[in-house]
Amino acid sequence: MKITDAKVFVGGPKKNYVTLKIMTDQGIYGLGDATLNNRETLPAQYLQDYLVPNLIGMDPRNSEDIWQYFYRGAYFRRGPIATAAFGAIDMALWDIKGKLANLPVYQLLGGKSREGAMVYAHATGADLEDLMDSVAFYVEQGYKAVRVQCGIPGMPKGYAVPEAKGDNLNHITDYTGIRPKVEVWDTDRYMRYMPGALERIRERFGPELKILHDVHHRLLPREAAAFARAVEPVDLYWLEDPTPAEDQDALRLIRQHSTVPIAIGEVFNSIYDCNRLIEQELIDFIRVAVTYAGGITPVRRIVDLAGLHHVRTGFHGAPSHSPICMAAQAHLNAWAPNFGVQEYLVLGTPECDALFPSEHRMENGMVWVSDAPGLGVDFDESKAARYDYVPGSHPVVRLEDGTMWNY
Ligand code: KDG
Ligand code: MG
């Protein structure tokens, strides 16, 4: 069996999805997602210029060797551009493997460990009252877990919160141009306000709701340790990215001062970014994404390593990922013995569902994996032509005096 061709598409409804389609001499094709949020053209170019020309002629069934070939063979290894690109290849090869075996990918991984997998939604508000309405909306829809972010009094804009009350749109990507908007961050105000706000959410929604909060890398290690201790009474399901992930010893300081579960890893692109944190049991949830971490093959290894150390999965699932990545994660979630929760925001727009038809379902705050062979998601090329690449960017963050800070 041979790979005969591979095509890369960039575009989608309100999102620049990077979709890879690998064709074979047996008529079976596989799909992969290489969407690197707000840098989408780069993995697309890497695929087109370097990976696809080498892929043609290979036997698609040898997904392990092909992964090693692109990983070890690159010399300049890793980095999210490369891993998103060969991650898409890996997903597409698992898709082909499942279609050849006439089995859904979760069966190739070891079968189902559960029927539905719990997901969490993003509740957000310009202020706490607004956030409460947003949480209530998701609770009414049947969500058991909700991430909560809200505006801080005196700070014009926080992470992933709207400027105007009642507005609950995606505030991460700005499509007005390639130059990022500037957000201003004030750690003191955040530290004073947020623990009390989280306690009020707990009081209003009771003990059952799983409450998650994302600090988005903004605190220094000592501040993060103090914050984690201050939010102990809230009984958070997790505290995400309390400090920038580069300084892994920072997590030790947080651990010494608090038992709040820590989730980290959405910016990791290799097992070597997380093995120390997992082996030293400095985190509770590993947040890698199948796209950014290089595909199903390496993420399965990360999940197994995490399982040895009581670390559960909480795969990244911001709207940045296409339904193909989310499908790959749905299969891993169905199988993973150490599954925790899945972030899930991609479903819902009719245009997106039409571009990527699938039978994966989201109901009552759970995702139900499709039983179709392979990844169980298709791609309607005839609709893809409608969507052009639209440049967008994450905001950048500065302190009040202008100092650059972590987004
Ligand atoms: O591209 C950046 C976003 O995916 C990120 O800001 C989302 O932190 C995020 C999350 O937890 O979903
Ligand atoms: Mg996050």
Side-chain angles (χ1 to χ4, degrees):
M1 187 174 186
K2 297 234 174 312
I3 294 170
T4 50
D5 197 7
K7 289 196 241 173
V8 183
F9 304 83
V10 182
K14 300 200 179 83
K15 200 76 228 164
N16 300 306
Y17 295 126
V18 182
T19 305
L20 175 72
K21 182 170 183 178
I22 296 182
M23 274 70 75
T24 67
D25 57 2
Q26 294 190 16
I28 292 175
Y29 60 87
L31 296 168
D33 172 36
T35 311
L36 180 61
N37 204 21
N38 298 329
R39 293 289 183 272
E40 296 89 353
T41 52
L42 302 177
Q45 200 69 41
Y46 189 46
L47 276 161
Q48 264 152 359
D49 291 353
Y50 298 100
L51 304 185
V52 167
N54 285 302
L55 197 58
I56 292 169
M58 287 181 171
D59 183 335
R61 295 169 297 187
N62 296 336
S63 49
E64 180 69 56
D65 184 64
I66 293 175
W67 191 90
Q68 299 288 339
Y69 182 87
F70 288 124
Y71 180 78
R72 290 173 192 265
Y75 189 59
F76 299 106
R77 293 177 187 177
R78 297 159 59 181
I81 297 166
T83 51
F86 63 71
I89 294 176
D90 186 74
M91 273 178 246
L93 298 184
W94 280 88
D95 193 20
I96 291 171
K97 206 184 288 294
K99 288 172 179 166
L100 273 175
N102 202 27
L103 288 171
V105 166
Y106 71 76
Q107 288 293 5
L108 308 180
L109 296 168
K112 278 189 188 172
S113 300
R114 62 198 56 75
E115 291 299 324
M118 181 174 71
V119 306
Y120 71 88
H122 281 192
T124 183
D127 60 19
L128 183 56
E129 189 194 18
D130 223 16
L131 172 58
M132 295 276 199
D133 291 346
S134 177
V135 176
F137 170 80
Y138 288 112
V139 169
E140 277 157 27
Q141 310 268 312
Y143 283 85
K144 294 162 189 61
V146 182
R147 185 188 88 162
V148 298
Q149 309 294 135
C150 74
I152 309 292
M155 195 161 86
K157 178 95 166 57
Y159 161 68
V161 299
E163 275 160 45
K165 275 174 81 67
D167 167 13
N168 60 357
L169 299 173
N170 163 15
H171 291 278
I172 290 173
T173 298
D174 168 29
Y175 288 109
T176 57
I178 205 67
R179 191 176 290 267
K181 281 193 175 159
V182 180
E183 290 180 359
V184 177
W185 174 255
D186 181 335
T187 297
D188 294 342
R189 282 199 170 95
Y190 173 80
M191 297 273 288
R192 278 197 302 269
Y193 184 75
M194 204 61 214
L198 291 169
E199 276 188 61
R200 287 190 44 206
I201 294 167
R202 172 61 74 210
E203 279 159 23
R204 156 109 186 249
F205 293 95
E208 297 289 327
L209 182 67
K210 293 182 172 36
I211 301 175
L212 296 76
H213 179 63
D214 192 347
V215 184
H216 223 255
H217 327 274
R218 306 256 164 119
L219 298 179
L220 301 176
R222 190 207 57 77
E223 294 162 349
F227 186 84
R229 202 161 55 183
V231 299
E232 290 264 349
V234 181
D235 190 22
L236 287 179
Y237 185 77
W238 82 31
L239 184 66
E240 180 178 338
D241 288 333
T243 49
E246 295 96 318
D247 176 11
Q248 301 203 335
D249 284 333
L251 278 300
R252 195 179 311 285
L253 189 70
I254 301 171
R255 271 286 199 248
Q256 281 161 0
H257 292 276
S258 145
T259 56
V260 171
I262 303 294
I264 210 160
E266 65 182 48
V267 297
F268 290 176
N269 48 76
S270 142
I271 195 166
Y272 300 110
D273 294 330
C274 35
N275 63 333
R276 233 176 97 216
L277 292 178
I278 292 172
E279 283 159 1
Q280 297 183 13
E281 299 180 7
L282 296 177
I283 57 171
D284 301 277
F285 293 91
I286 184 67
R287 295 266 298 132
V288 288
V290 167
T291 301
Y292 306 155
I296 293 173
T297 298
V299 169
R300 187 178 54 159
R301 286 199 183 98
I302 293 173
V303 174
D304 274 335
L305 177 67
L308 295 180
H309 295 280
H310 327 289
V311 174
R312 286 183 282 166
T313 61
F315 296 140
H316 190 236
S320 8
H321 299 299
S322 94
I324 300 171
C325 170
M326 297 309 289
Q329 296 187 168
H331 288 278
L332 283 158
N333 289 334
W335 152 74
N338 49 331
F339 168 75
V341 69
Q342 170 66 58
E343 186 180 23
Y344 214 129
L345 292 105
V346 79
L347 287 185
T349 78
E351 296 83 0
C352 191
D353 294 346
L355 186 61
F356 297 99
S358 95
E359 280 166 28
H360 296 284
R361 286 182 298 119
M362 188 154 81
E363 264 169 39
N364 283 331
M366 312 275 275
V367 68
W368 308 86
V369 70
S370 159
D371 285 318
L375 291 176
V377 59
D378 211 343
F379 177 62
D380 186 342
E381 273 181 66
S382 67
K383 295 201 171 66
R386 289 182 197 166
Y387 302 108
D388 290 328
Y389 167 70
V390 183
S393 51
H394 295 104
V396 293
V397 176
R398 290 186 183 276
L399 303 182
E400 271 174 325
D401 70 355
T403 306
M404 273 299 289
W405 207 244
N406 311 308
Y407 171 61

